[in-house]
Amino acid sequence: MISITDKTLKDLEFSTILQTISDRCNTEIGRQKALEILPFKDQNTLQDSLLQTSEYLSSFSNNNAIPNHGFDNLNNDLKFLAIEDSFLEVASFKKIATLSETVNVLLLYFKKFHEYYPKLNERATQVEYTKFIIQKIDEIVDKFGEIKNNASPDLINIRRDMSVVRGRVNQSFGQAMSQYISLGYLDEIKESFVENRRVLAVLAMYRRKVKGSILGSSKTGSIAYIEPEATLHYSRELSNLEYEEREEITKILKQLSNDIRPYLELLKQYQEILSDIDVIAAKAKYARKINAILPTITTEKQLYFRDAFHPILFLNNLEKNEKTYPQTIELSTQSRIIVISGPNAGGKTISLKTVGLLQLMLQCGILIPVHERSTSFLFDRIITDIGDNQSIENHLSTYSYRLKNMNYFLKKCNAKTLFLIDEFGTGSDPELGGALAEIFLEEFYHREAFGIITTHYSNLKILVNELPFASNANMLFDEKSLEPMYKLILGQAGSSFTFEVAQKNGIPFGLINRAKKKIEGGKVRFDKTIATLQKERSKLEKTSLNLKEEETKAREEGKKMESINVKIQEKLERYQELYDANQRLIYMGQKLDDISEKYFNNKDKKILIGEFLKIVEIENSKRKKATVKEKVAQEIIKKKVIEEVTVRVEEIRITKKEKKIKAQKQETEKPKVILKIGDKVRMFDGKAVGTIDKIEKNKAVVNYGVFTSKISLEVLEYVKTK
């Protein structure tokens, strides 16, 4: 059961990853879910989550794009629907129909392409496919979100009557307006609307001459708004019909709510699956942005991140158009703890955070930016001590806070723990703090915990060299410019380059020499030796890179030359064929010329035809010989293939025979198990397994469930229970 503290999440800046994923979600619920992602407690659920994201990621590069999964948040609507005798408005039903339709499309899609998306299809099959919800809402609500006229028989009649009355209202109003226009009682605007009712714009001086109901006046008082008397009767009738329509619509919506209410839980499941897919899609979009993949997850205790990128740094550098350097790091039972040393600003902390953050992301079901041959196993606990840990609230110094944190580490560290400590042992007297740090490191080592530590303490570097299952590491530096190369090198401690970096930053040489005299000569020599080794390592690294580049270029040139040689050979063969064909044509031409000359001299047609026939027969005999040669060559090839296959089959047969003899020999060499009543057994040459009910002398009564059989003990073998 995995345990991750809030401090670890904060130290590794995990919230930044979640915010980036949340921003890529399409739905409100999906965005909230993305911010609440935590490590999975069950390994099978974690594997499913990683595979689902990996499948969605693959949809970006194949021709089977996954359909839309967006939806409107229905939480409030569903809460209201859960109340007995309540009813939803038309807009809510429109959202429910869209939700149901979206889920149905996805369910059918994943079913159709289950070979491409097996895990997504497995998640989709957990919810029910139904058209009832869509059909019921479609009977009542049209595509514009309005109640259909035929939603009920009464509504048809009411709306038909309303249409008739509206016609009469408009007709009577038109007649009145024409009458008062001719009398000159109306203003230039002629008509207007007051309280959603059509009125005449009557000049104030004539308001008493117009029969009707005054509903208002203009701001200046120059116009009176009057509804004509002829229209009033129809307006009242229309108001009554509108009231009846509202009542009927309420009745229809109540009935529709009652029909949909039994599907309340299903609708919640629909929201759940769509929001889950929204988070999966967001994780896949994020994975595509950072070039993330699903590494191999193994049960063996081995973490191998090859060409691993820190995702936050990678995206930040991408925006700035700057290069991000990948790191390769490995933790295993043979190298459980890695201590990284070297100067500041060399990338030690980034390397440490990269491993921690990627492992945390992986255990939260998020794909990580590593090489496809990377592997990892799952930790029960990830604990960190990174950055300035001064606690103002608790009045603790940095060192006191770190000691309190170390105490927590000692309580929780075990063989399934990954611990990450930055600047191990700092904050106190170097001699005393270093000694205490050494004891802590020994304790973590003996508990078989896995971890990465960054430090400047020489005693820790020496201790790690003495521990068989721990390794030193350093961040590579350029030997001339002393600029960091941001490359982690395992197997060797790093120098802090204290005096070299000071000299590079303009500190006077005299002051640096005085500082050197202040400390022990042995320590200077030790640090100088490490620095020299690191410089040599840097040279070797550069030489190795140059050799690799040269080798790659040589291979490419070799391939090019080989390709050119093949092309030249092909051209030569074609030229030879062309030359032979031309020679043949020249020979034929000379022959024809000789024959025509003879015919010109003797005019004998028989000789002419005889010469022609002779030439034709010679050419045909050549063709026959070529055909025979081809057939013979094909027969030889066929014979060779048959011989090779026969030899291979014989080799396989002999190998199988040897394996069988070896297996039989191993079987006979196995110690004979003394059989007793209740043992599961089977015959040597049989598959059926039975139980011994009784043993009489050298025979046993074996019960096979359906029948029993008496069999000699010599031909029975013991079967282990699974």
Side-chain angles (χ1 to χ4, degrees):
M1 188 171 171
I2 190 163
S3 169
I4 305 286
T5 63
D6 290 339
K7 183 184 182 309
T8 297
L9 298 175
K10 187 179 177 183
D11 282 351
L12 297 174
E13 300 175 76
F14 188 59
S15 60
T16 306
I17 303 290
L18 297 188
Q19 187 60 57
T20 311
I21 293 170
S22 177
D23 293 342
R24 284 168 166 76
C25 289
N26 295 336
T27 66
E28 182 188 332
I29 299 174
R31 282 189 284 275
Q32 189 56 42
K33 273 189 177 181
L35 294 173
E36 294 166 0
I37 291 174
L38 285 171
F40 285 87
K41 294 180 179 178
D42 176 59
Q43 187 170 342
N44 293 330
T45 315
L46 169 61
Q47 286 276 20
D48 287 350
S49 176
L50 287 166
L51 287 168
Q52 285 166 5
T53 308
S54 186
E55 286 171 9
Y56 206 108
L57 178 62
S58 69
S59 73
F60 298 142
S61 55
N62 63 34
N63 295 323
N64 302 313
I66 295 172
N68 166 55
H69 57 265
F71 67 98
D72 291 321
N73 188 345
L74 280 165
N75 281 340
N76 292 332
D77 305 275
L78 296 181
K79 283 177 186 175
F80 193 65
L81 184 63
I83 301 167
E84 199 64 36
D85 293 331
S86 64
F87 68 93
L88 297 177
E89 294 298 328
V90 181
S92 298
F93 284 114
K94 193 69 182 166
K95 287 196 287 184
I96 288 171
T98 306
L99 175 75
S100 186
E101 179 64 29
T102 304
V103 172
N104 282 354
V105 169
L106 275 169
L107 294 184
L108 291 174
Y109 176 83
F110 287 133
K111 187 178 179 181
K112 182 179 178 182
F113 295 103
H114 65 276
E115 289 181 0
Y116 289 93
Y117 312 113
K119 285 296 175 185
L120 287 169
N121 181 50
E122 193 179 300
R123 173 68 183 92
T125 53
Q126 293 172 10
V127 295
E128 180 191 343
Y129 174 88
T130 177
K131 285 190 173 181
F132 178 83
I133 296 169
I134 300 166
Q135 287 170 350
K136 272 291 171 188
I137 295 172
D138 194 47
E139 287 171 7
I140 305 300
V141 183
D142 65 17
K143 62 181 178 180
F144 304 108
E146 300 292 335
I147 299 290
K148 290 181 177 179
N149 291 340
N150 60 354
S152 76
D154 288 344
L155 190 63
I156 292 174
N157 295 330
I158 291 167
R159 286 188 171 172
R160 189 187 297 122
D161 292 344
M162 286 173 70
S163 181
V164 171
V165 171
R166 280 198 187 98
R168 289 173 181 170
V169 166
N170 291 335
Q171 186 183 1
S172 60
F173 187 87
Q175 288 173 351
M177 187 164 68
S178 299
Q179 179 189 348
Y180 292 123
I181 286 172
S182 62
L183 293 171
Y185 293 170
L186 302 184
D187 186 64
E188 287 178 359
I189 62 171
K190 294 183 179 59
E191 62 173 302
S192 185
F193 279 90
V194 176
E195 296 174 5
N196 206 27
R197 289 162 77 172
R198 201 175 173 191
V199 291
L200 295 170
V202 180
L203 294 168
M205 66 183 77
Y206 300 118
R207 67 178 183 274
R208 295 185 183 278
K209 294 185 178 182
V210 175
K211 293 179 180 180
S213 175
I214 298 174
L215 299 181
S217 61
S218 64
K219 287 180 181 178
T220 57
S222 61
I223 301 170
Y225 298 119
I226 300 172
E227 185 176 11
E229 190 177 41
T231 310
L232 272 171
H233 171 70
Y234 296 122
S235 294
R236 290 193 193 101
E237 191 177 344
L238 185 62
S239 296
N240 292 336
L241 286 169
E242 284 172 348
Y243 175 78
E244 286 178 24
E245 182 193 33
R246 286 195 297 275
E247 288 293 302
E248 185 59 25
I249 286 172
T250 302
K251 185 179 169 184
I252 291 164
L253 292 175
K254 279 185 178 179
Q255 183 57 49
L256 183 57
S257 298
N258 290 334
D259 291 338
I260 300 299
R261 193 169 283 116
Y263 294 89
L264 187 63
E265 285 305 314
L266 183 63
L267 291 170
K268 288 178 182 177
Q269 288 176 25
Y270 281 179
Q271 277 206 140
E272 194 69 20
I273 187 174
L274 289 183
S275 57
D276 283 350
I277 289 172
D278 192 28
V279 174
I280 291 166
K283 288 196 286 188
K285 290 171 192 171
Y286 179 64
R288 181 172 58 170
K289 187 73 176 173
I290 61 173
N291 304 319
I293 55 123
L294 171 57
T296 304
I297 295 176
T298 176
T299 52
E300 295 175 16
K301 291 186 177 181
Q302 183 188 28
L303 182 150
Y304 174 57
F305 287 158
R306 178 177 164 186
D307 295 339
F309 288 91
H310 191 287
I312 300 170
L313 183 66
F314 178 79
L315 288 183
N316 286 343
N317 285 348
L318 202 66
E319 284 181 13
K320 297 174 189 173
N321 210 14
E322 293 177 4
K323 186 179 178 181
T324 308
Y325 296 88
Q327 302 299 339
T328 297
I329 200 160
E330 183 175 9
L331 292 171
S332 66
T333 49
Q334 302 304 309
S335 178
R336 296 193 302 269
I337 297 173
I338 294 173
V339 174
I340 307 173
S341 48
N344 291 324
K348 298 193 301 294
T349 305
I350 286 295
S351 296
L352 177 110
K353 282 186 172 183
T354 300
V355 175
L357 181 57
L358 294 188
Q359 185 64 30
L360 180 57
M361 286 168 64
L362 192 65
Q363 296 197 206
C364 291
I366 303 167
L367 304 185
I368 56 175
V370 292
H371 190 276
E372 59 187 7
R373 290 188 182 173
S374 300
T375 60
S376 182
F377 71 101
L378 304 176
F379 294 97
D380 285 352
R381 184 176 282 107
I382 301 172
I383 47 181
T384 59
D385 186 4
I386 300 170
D388 183 13
N389 294 307
Q390 192 166 22
S391 175
I392 295 167
E393 298 114 2
N394 299 320
H395 308 288
L396 294 175
S397 68
T398 301
Y399 191 60
S400 299
Y401 190 89
R402 299 200 81 159
L403 284 177
K404 191 177 179 183
N405 216 23
M406 284 303 105
N407 190 33
Y408 176 78
F409 276 40
L410 292 171
K411 286 178 184 175
K412 300 295 181 183
C413 258
N414 58 33
K416 288 190 175 180
T417 301
L418 174 66
F419 66 88
L420 306 163
I421 306 174
D422 190 30
E423 301 295 346
F424 191 35
T426 55
S428 180
D429 178 271
E431 297 290 332
L432 305 179
L436 195 56
E438 201 171 319
I439 297 301
F440 287 147
L441 180 56
E442 285 177 350
E443 191 63 28
F444 298 149
Y445 179 83
H446 292 310
R447 292 190 186 188
E448 298 184 356
F450 291 78
I452 301 173
I453 291 168
T454 68
T455 189
H456 288 288
Y457 285 168
S458 299
N459 63 317
L460 293 179
K461 302 175 195 177
I462 296 165
L463 173 63
V464 169
N465 269 338
E466 294 168 355
L467 297 172
F469 303 130
S471 305
N472 270 306
N474 70 82
M475 301 304 295
L476 205 62
F477 256 59
D478 188 280
E479 75 276 6
K480 291 180 181 177
S481 65
L482 286 175
E483 291 292 331
M485 293 168 71
Y486 302 105
K487 189 173 179 65
L488 183 70
I489 300 297
L490 297 173
Q492 182 184 315
S495 166
S496 296
F497 288 96
T498 308
F499 298 126
E500 289 87 346
V501 172
Q503 189 177 338
K504 182 179 179 295
N505 283 288
I507 304 299
F509 193 68
L511 293 178
I512 292 169
N513 275 339
R514 280 167 62 189
K516 283 181 180 178
K517 289 173 186 175
K518 293 277 185 184
I519 59 171
E520 299 171 18
K523 186 168 177 64
V524 175
R525 285 198 301 276
F526 177 70
D527 199 71
K528 191 176 180 182
T529 304
I530 291 175
T532 307
L533 286 170
Q534 213 166 325
K535 286 176 183 178
E536 291 299 322
R537 185 65 175 264
S538 175
K539 283 180 184 175
L540 285 170
E541 191 74 21
K542 282 189 173 180
T543 308
S544 175
L545 286 171
N546 290 335
L547 285 171
K548 279 180 183 175
E549 284 176 10
E550 291 296 327
E551 188 183 353
T552 306
K553 284 178 183 175
R555 280 179 186 168
E556 286 175 0
E557 289 297 325
K559 283 180 182 176
K560 282 181 184 175
M561 291 300 294
E562 197 176 326
S563 176
I564 290 164
N565 282 336
V566 169
K567 286 178 181 176
I568 290 168
Q569 192 64 36
E570 286 174 356
K571 279 187 178 180
L572 283 171
E573 286 172 5
R574 285 199 296 270
Y575 285 141
Q576 186 63 46
E577 287 171 7
L578 187 63
Y579 175 76
D580 291 345
N582 286 338
Q583 287 295 110
R584 181 171 161 274
L585 290 172
I586 290 164
Y587 170 75
M588 291 285 289
Q590 286 173 348
K591 276 279 186 186
L592 287 170
D593 190 51
D594 292 344
I595 292 166
S596 62
E597 192 177 342
K598 282 179 185 178
Y599 179 71
F600 180 77
N601 292 327
N602 57 28
K603 304 295 182 183
D604 191 339
K605 288 184 179 178
K606 282 183 180 180
I607 295 169
L608 177 68
I609 292 164
E611 290 289 340
F612 270 122
L613 285 172
K614 195 186 286 183
I615 291 168
V616 170
E617 282 171 3
I618 290 165
E619 289 301 316
N620 284 342
S621 68
K622 285 180 183 177
R623 287 192 181 94
K624 280 179 184 177
K625 282 177 184 177
T627 308
V628 169
K629 279 182 183 177
E630 283 178 12
K631 283 183 179 178
V632 169
Q634 285 174 0
E635 284 296 324
I636 291 165
I637 292 164
K638 191 176 179 183
K639 195 175 180 182
K640 278 185 179 178
V641 170
I642 291 166
E643 283 173 0
E644 285 174 6
V645 170
T646 308
V647 170
R648 183 64 183 146
V649 167
E650 186 62 27
E651 284 174 0
I652 292 165
R653 191 183 65 77
I654 291 164
T655 308
K656 282 187 175 178
K657 193 175 180 181
E658 286 173 355
K659 282 183 181 177
K660 191 175 181 182
I661 292 164
K662 192 178 177 182
Q664 286 173 352
K665 192 178 177 183
Q666 286 174 350
E667 192 64 37
T668 53
E669 287 173 358
K670 276 185 186 176
K672 184 76 175 177
V673 178
I674 298 166
L675 300 174
K676 58 183 184 294
I677 294 168
D679 283 352
K680 298 279 185 185
V681 292
R682 71 176 167 213
M683 294 176 73
F684 287 124
D685 56 350
K687 291 183 179 178
V689 178
T691 310
I692 296 176
D693 284 353
K694 196 192 296 181
I695 297 174
E696 298 172 353
K697 293 183 181 179
N698 65 335
K699 288 192 175 181
V701 177
V702 182
N703 187 345
Y704 287 102
V706 181
F707 64 92
T708 59
S709 177
K710 190 177 277 189
I711 306 166
S712 174
L713 288 167
E714 292 176 0
V715 297
L716 291 175
E717 65 173 342
Y718 177 73
V719 178
K720 286 184 181 177
T721 307
K722 286 186 180 179

